[in-house]
Amino acid sequence: MKPIVRLKNISLSYHSEQGETPAVENVSFDIYDGEFLSIVGPSGCGKSTLLSIISGLSKPTCGTVEMIGNHKSAYMLQKDHLFEWRSVFSNACLGLELQQNLNDENRNKVHELLKKYGLGEFAFKRPSELSGGMRQRAALIRTLASQADILLLDEPFSALDYQTRLQVSDEISRIIREEKKTAVLVTHDISEAISLSDRVLVFSKRPAKLKTEFNIDFSSKGKAGLSAREDPEFKNYFNKIWKELDK
Ligand code: ADP
Ligand code: MG
């Protein structure tokens, strides 16, 4: 597989009046074209910081982030940030609008995406008329429409209840694969990481250091809902990652 982002010896410390907080320490890894990569680690260890470094919004204290080729990243967050005074369609166009790139061709693409992923009939409704899952799908379509090829997902499902979360995370990962995007998902939910990812990177408590990585491959992988999670191979991965986190 082809690497498209290369992180080399990345460290970042926050400075405040209370002193220095090291958040990320000497982290190196590649992100491969088209993969679904998860970053797991204890709460507060530096996962969001790492994602923000990948996006280019935060500059590391040392180390380098190299984009190999011409790539654009975009965020999807826990809160969907849909604006209530705009229709679903007009929310989905927001990224393009901000890029001053909203033309008829792109408007049609947004319509196509909404239709393809079951929101066609809701295009001119308000966000409050959608379910939590549909709202996340609308937020994803906005991200997809912005023509980024690397999607950065920071705990995007953590505000949803368990049932909805299983369904929405399956749905969102299917769409990301179908659209052939590369995804980096930050989560503290080991099961979510295993069921969605091709590869899981396990980080230590703060400052985040890369402890180990797992390539995820088992026979029922990709099956929706609980069926993959009930597979003994799934439990095997779960135990291995749990042990790493606990060390
Ligand atoms: P995670 O996403 O894994 O929960 P974060 O990357 O958000 O962790 O934060 C890592 C550590 O850095 C935490 O201890 C947090 O309090 C601290 N931190 C995050 N952002 C800032 C900031 N802007 N200024 C100072 N400290 C910060
Ligand atoms: Mg975070």
Side-chain angles (χ1 to χ4, degrees), residues 14-16 21-23 41-50 154-155 186 206:
Y14 290 109
H15 295 274
S16 67
T21 310
S43 170
C45 79
K47 301 181 296 298
S48 295
T49 302
L50 202 52
D154 198 346
E155 314 234 13
V186 160
R206 194 182 64 76

Side-chain angles (χ1 to χ4, degrees), residues 36-148:
F36 201 115
L37 178 69
S38 282
I39 289 178
V40 301
S43 170
C45 79
K47 301 181 296 298
S48 295
T49 302
L50 202 52
L51 211 58
S52 152
I53 292 171
I54 296 170
S55 76
L57 289 172
S58 295
K59 294 276 168 268
T61 316
C62 36
T64 54
V65 181
E66 186 193 349
M67 288 282 170
I68 304 166
N70 190 16
H71 302 286
K72 232 173 66 181
S73 64
Y75 260 103
M76 188 172 153
L77 302 163
Q78 180 184 335
K79 276 199 72 200
D80 54 47
H81 297 284
L82 297 174
F83 293 117
E84 192 49 38
W85 66 85
R86 287 176 161 243
S87 67
V88 170
F89 172 71
S90 144
N91 268 289
C93 290
L94 188 64
L96 289 166
E97 216 174 294
L98 293 173
Q99 296 167 5
Q100 302 191 322
N101 200 8
L102 190 59
N103 50 35
D104 283 346
E105 191 191 339
N106 285 337
R107 270 192 201 93
N108 281 335
K109 277 192 196 147
V110 172
H111 263 304
E112 288 307 312
L113 282 169
L114 288 170
K115 260 198 274 176
K116 184 168 173 192
Y117 296 118
L119 291 174
E121 289 167 39
F122 295 85
F124 296 103
K125 305 259 190 221
R126 301 283 152 186
S128 60
E129 294 173 79
L130 306 186
S131 68
M134 291 163 97
R135 291 179 68 113
Q136 278 304 51
R137 238 184 295 151
L140 177 68
I141 289 168
R142 180 183 53 199
T143 311
L144 293 173
S146 74
Q147 295 169 336

